[in-house]
Amino acid sequence: MSDIATGSDLLWIARGHWEIFIATYLFLGGLSGGAYLTSVVSSELFRPRAQGPDEIFACEETSRWGAIVGLLAIAVGGVALLSHLGAPLRALTFPILFTNFGSWLVIGTWFIVLFALFVTIEAFWLLFGEEHAGSEGLSYVPRWIVAWIDDVLPLPEDWSIVAALDWLADRLRPTERARRVVHAVGSVAAVGVIVYTALLLTDVSVVPLWDRQYLPIVFLMSGPSTGISAALLGTVASGGGLSRTNHLFCLADDALIAVETVTLVGLLVALSSGGPAAEQSYELLMSGAYFPHFAVGVLALGLVVPFGLSMTMTGLVRFTDVEHRWGSAFTGGFALKYVLVLAGGFLLRYALLFGAVKQPLGVP
């Protein structure tokens, strides 16, 4: 039975069998991969060129926030994904049960496992070890929590958990060259986590909204954009809102937003004249039930407003000196931009799932 008004010669297929958990997973999966890439870029490209203690501090905070956010997002996203399954424990036996190695479901599962391993290792190295003892920065919250547990537990001082983790991190920490190899492999896994969900959706050829030409590009832009926003939101909270690191990542995010916006416009144009199901999705997103989520939440508040806000602040920084006089306003502006991008990223996945309409069957 269709939930859309039927035509005289079309049989509409029911839709909406996925719940909010899948939209949450799609959002957190892309965010986690993007946050890890942000951490790697900050460590490999920006940190070696940083000048002065403030810039070094901002780079290191961004690296740690990227790894922490990536780890938390893939953990929560994994729980959301398993919560959708009827037998979640069976999913944990995927190395045995999943044998269709050409399926994006199987490929994506291996991407998730590999990525989770690399982001956990990265967070561990960035938080623990002798060089991090006594270091300051809001991103050290996980280390502070472990130290608090040490204070609560009745353990001898020599047996503290922090000391044990520092000892282990120092002995497992690789050379700089080996670390770059780890970052390279981890980045491949991160990109896989970001984009495989789009490729999985586009395999459903009866849903025009999940267009093979546009959807992978949208996810490939949105994942790193939300990852940058989440990691840099932490850096701004740590006091790095006016740093060169924040400005560079903000500009990179603007480029991603621009490409994502153009791609979504292309998708909408294709939908507007793509046949009955495509036109139904277009109407749902642009004037129907999901107009507040997509047209307002994604296009206006999640893309156009953050881009305009960022361009305005970038212009003021480039041609005036008001940044240092109105530092609090700029810090708040960057934080607002990143929050809007994150909200838009979630609403994008929500609208793409719930605005999907299947091609109707022709009735003779």
Side-chain angles (χ1 to χ4, degrees):
M1 186 69 181
S2 170
D3 55 353
I4 297 175
T6 59
S8 58
D9 57 349
L10 297 176
L11 177 63
W12 293 90
I13 310 300
R15 60 182 175 83
H17 59 285
W18 279 339
E19 299 175 347
I20 191 71
F21 292 114
I22 295 301
T24 302
Y25 167 69
L26 295 179
F27 168 67
L28 291 177
L31 186 153
S32 63
Y36 178 83
L37 293 176
T38 303
S39 175
V40 170
V41 169
S42 185
S43 295
E44 294 291 347
L45 298 181
F46 293 169
R47 173 64 178 84
R49 296 171 177 78
Q51 298 177 353
D54 291 343
E55 197 172 327
I56 292 172
F57 172 80
C59 286
E60 292 177 346
E61 281 290 283
T62 301
S63 296
R64 278 190 292 274
W65 277 119
I68 293 168
V69 169
L71 177 58
L72 290 176
I74 199 63
V76 176
V79 172
L81 181 62
L82 291 174
S83 300
H84 173 76
L85 303 177
L89 294 180
R90 288 190 63 191
L92 300 179
T93 61
F94 73 92
I96 301 172
L97 297 180
F98 288 8
T99 56
N100 185 6
F101 297 108
S103 164
W104 281 112
L105 181 64
V106 177
I107 296 171
T109 303
W110 281 107
F111 272 137
I112 293 172
V113 172
L114 187 63
F115 172 73
L117 173 64
F118 277 90
V119 74
T120 301
I121 291 172
E122 185 67 13
F124 180 58
W125 282 336
L126 289 173
L127 288 168
F128 295 98
E130 193 62 34
E131 66 179 283
H132 298 291
S135 298
E136 296 181 354
L138 195 58
S139 63
Y140 280 109
V141 166
R143 186 183 174 95
W144 299 343
I145 293 174
V146 176
W148 175 80
I149 294 173
D150 274 335
D151 291 337
V152 173
L153 293 177
L155 295 175
E157 185 174 349
D158 293 342
W159 290 14
S160 75
I161 300 173
V162 168
L165 292 175
D166 284 343
W167 178 87
L168 186 62
D170 286 338
R171 276 146 189 81
L172 296 179
R173 197 181 306 281
T175 63
E176 287 300 316
R177 179 173 296 182
R179 186 78 171 267
R180 292 192 189 100
V181 175
V182 171
H183 283 164
V185 178
S187 296
V188 172
V191 172
V193 170
I194 290 170
V195 78
Y196 96 89
T197 48
L199 298 171
L200 184 62
L201 290 176
T202 58
D203 276 347
V204 185
S205 58
V206 295
V207 177
L209 179 57
W210 300 339
D211 186 280
R212 185 177 293 274
Q213 180 181 356
Y214 295 104
L215 200 62
I217 300 175
V218 170
F219 275 44
L220 198 56
M221 297 298 111
S222 178
S225 177
T226 54
I228 288 174
S229 296
L232 269 295
L233 193 59
T235 303
V236 170
S238 299
L242 305 183
S243 66
R244 181 169 170 268
T245 301
N246 180 42
H247 289 311
L248 290 173
F249 273 113
C250 196
L251 289 174
D253 185 36
D254 293 341
L256 295 170
I257 289 174
V259 176
E260 183 184 351
T261 303
V262 171
T263 309
L264 281 174
V265 170
L267 174 61
L268 290 172
V269 171
L271 290 174
S272 64
S273 58
E279 292 167 11
Q280 285 281 0
S281 285
Y282 178 84
E283 292 175 6
L284 283 172
L285 297 177
M286 297 305 291
S287 61
Y290 300 106
F291 171 81
H293 308 80
F294 187 78
V296 178
V298 177
L299 295 181
L301 297 180
L303 295 173
V304 175
V305 172
F307 185 83
L309 185 62
S310 181
M311 287 293 100
T312 301
M313 290 191 296
T314 300
L316 290 173
V317 170
R318 179 68 178 81
F319 299 108
T320 71
D321 62 348
V322 297
E323 181 187 28
H324 297 290
R325 282 188 287 153
W326 294 351
S328 297
F330 274 83
T331 298
F334 285 119
L336 176 60
K337 179 206 170 178
Y338 295 138
V339 169
L340 288 174
V341 170
L342 289 171
F346 173 76
L347 290 173
L348 172 69
R349 274 73 172 182
Y350 182 91
L352 288 177
L353 279 186
F354 290 90
V357 178
K358 295 178 182 176
Q359 289 282 14
L361 299 176
V363 179

